[in-house]
Amino acid sequence: MDPLSTVPGRRRFLAAAVGLAATAATAAGAPGVAAAADPERLRVATFNIHHGASPADVLDLERVARVIEAMEADVVGLQEVDRYWRRSGFVDQPGWLGERLGMQHAFGANLDLAPEEPGRPRRQYGTAVLSRRPILSWSNTRLPLFPGHEQRGLLRATLELRGTRVTFAVTHLQHDDNREREQQSARIVELLGSSPERTVLVGDLNAVPEAPEIRTLTGVLDDAWPRVGTGDGFTYDAVTPHARLDYLLASRDIRPLTAQLRTADPAASDHLPVVSDLQVPATRRRR
């Protein structure tokens, strides 16, 4: 006979002690137990920089840099970015902005053309990511293209947030063909997944929120503006805004906290930038 079975009080005391010890080990992060970490706060922005030119076509990339700097964003998606074009002084704009702002950068060249002058690098045009968080990897995928139109793409970067990885994507959809935009949006959903996690998509989508191509995207991603923005959110044109064309979209597991237009210098580009604070769930770590 088990000696403890003859001492009911002692048996109950030992069982309770074992249970308390197990609970304490779990709370302390015993080996093999998943520990919940605090969510990360991430400030994201989108900005169509019009190759650094104002609505009056005055080139001033430093002015664009000051607008980006004032947003204090962790990561920014840019559209209409030049590399080595005569119209923008043959500057590598993503590289220049990255150095000027102390941010890492990735560039998606949707156009890759012969140089405009002998001995110059090939001229490129597309989208870019500027990030204060480490960019672990990036890729650019071309989107559906109708004959005679401009090639568009989806630039995706994997960011490191203290152990949590986030997919940050930026795009710029076709400006004058809704059928093409619908195909481009459908392809973006294929690339990001029908149930993405820890994913942010920003860009100039060239369509209003009620358009089918936008609804394709908001079928899998949340539009931050109607949830936490104030007012109409019009981003185009910058001087006399009358349409919301620029978006910050996030996967369902990300919580938008704020969404704002930045209007301090509306003539820096022909679009207004949008900035949003997001709460990103941390990856559960095993101890």
Side-chain angles (χ1 to χ4, degrees), residues 171-175 177-189 192 201-226 235 243-250 252:
T171 194
H172 184 194
L173 301 187
Q174 179 65 26
H175 68 286
D177 194 319
N178 65 296
R179 295 176 302 116
E180 186 172 8
R181 287 195 298 271
E182 288 177 25
Q183 291 191 20
Q184 291 169 343
S185 292
R187 178 60 175 144
I188 289 172
V189 170
L192 297 181
L201 170 68
V202 307
D204 174 4
L205 304 185
N206 273 315
V208 297
E210 298 78 18
E213 54 268 41
I214 302 302
R215 293 192 180 279
T216 294
L217 296 172
T218 55
V220 298
L221 300 166
D222 285 338
D223 184 355
W225 190 266
T235 60
R244 186 159 78 94
L245 304 183
D246 302 81
Y247 294 80
L248 299 163
L249 309 176
R252 311 288 193 218

Side-chain angles (χ1 to χ4, degrees), residues 23-139:
T23 301
T26 301
V33 176
D38 292 334
E40 289 281 345
R41 189 168 177 133
L42 185 71
R43 175 168 288 186
V44 303
T46 185
F47 192 15
N48 181 327
I49 67 169
H50 193 228
H51 64 269
S54 70
D57 207 28
V58 176
L59 182 68
D60 191 345
L61 195 59
E62 170 60 27
R63 186 177 187 179
V64 169
R66 290 196 299 269
V67 171
I68 297 172
E69 190 172 43
M71 292 190 289
E72 299 182 327
D74 296 299
V75 57
V76 186
L78 304 178
Q79 305 87 46
E80 295 194 20
V81 184
D82 277 0
R83 293 186 80 212
Y84 311 124
W85 287 69
R86 180 185 291 116
R87 67 186 181 188
S88 48
F90 296 104
V91 171
D92 173 2
Q93 291 190 331
W96 188 93
L97 286 168
E99 182 174 356
R100 161 66 175 80
L101 297 166
M103 302 173 80
Q104 295 186 20
H105 74 276
F107 178 67
N110 296 318
L111 298 182
D112 186 2
L113 307 172
E116 294 180 280
E117 293 181 1
R120 296 279 188 182
R122 292 181 65 83
R123 53 187 166 139
Q124 297 178 324
Y125 177 74
T127 59
V129 172
L130 299 174
S131 180
R132 300 190 188 283
R133 305 298 185 100
I135 299 176
L136 301 182
S137 63
W138 64 270
S139 64

